[in-house]
Amino acid sequence: QVHLVEAGGGSVQAGDSLTLSCEDPGNLLNYAMAWFRQDPGKEREVVAAISWKGDDSYYSDAVKGRFTISKDNAKNTMSIQMNDLKPEDTAVYYCAAKRGTIWGFYIRSSDYDYWGQGIQVTVSS
């Protein structure tokens, strides 16, 4: 059973940086993973996704060039470095894991089998 735990959220000013991490006490070796975010009243949207090996990744247009996703299979962790944060990045961020993947990344929330509890990121102007 996968139990994902996010950390690193908080309140920052526009232009600041934050790093979110997602950990599991078990083994995330064969799991493709992703970060999603959701504002109240809006649908959950993909922010970035990464293959199980960490060698292939996807970024939404909203964060491309500012965010960097990474995966460390030896440490069972996934992270996202968020630079130049904007007020529109304010949301609850969720990490997600898809079991049994062979290659590539996945960008639909329905693709994922396991979810973290979510962590708040608030960016003030």
Side-chain angles (χ1 to χ4, degrees):
Q1 185 69 22
V2 173
H3 180 64
L4 302 174
V5 179
E6 298 108 336
S11 297
V12 296
Q13 298 291 316
D16 286 349
S17 298
L18 274 178
T19 299
L20 303 182
S21 63
C22 176
E23 298 184 355
D24 178 77
N27 189 339
L28 293 174
L29 181 60
N30 290 114
Y31 290 77
M33 300 187 71
W35 287 97
F36 288 78
R37 67 186 182 188
Q38 187 169 22
D39 256 345
K42 294 185 180 179
E43 290 189 4
R44 191 170 296 188
E45 62 175 5
V46 66
V47 175
I50 193 165
S51 62
W52 75 268
K53 283 186 178 181
D55 59 353
D56 199 9
S57 59
Y58 164 88
Y59 296 93
S60 69
D61 288 342
V63 307
K64 196 175 298 181
R66 299 188 295 123
F67 291 12
T68 303
I69 191 172
S70 60
K71 189 171 185 272
D72 188 334
N73 288 322
K75 296 181 179 179
N76 294 318
T77 62
M78 177 189 64
S79 299
I80 189 165
Q81 172 70 39
M82 306 186 295
N83 296 327
D84 189 23
L85 283 160
K86 304 177 185 299
E88 51 264 40
D89 295 317
T90 296
V92 176
Y93 283 71
Y94 298 88
C95 71
K98 175 178 173 61
R99 63 176 177 262
T101 57
I102 299 175
W103 57 272
F105 50 77
Y106 302 81
I107 64 173
R108 299 178 304 175
S109 59
S110 59
D111 289 327
Y112 288 88
D113 304 297
Y114 303 101
W115 293 84
Q117 79 284 359
I119 192 164
Q120 180 70 44
V121 172
T122 302
V123 185
S124 302
S125 58

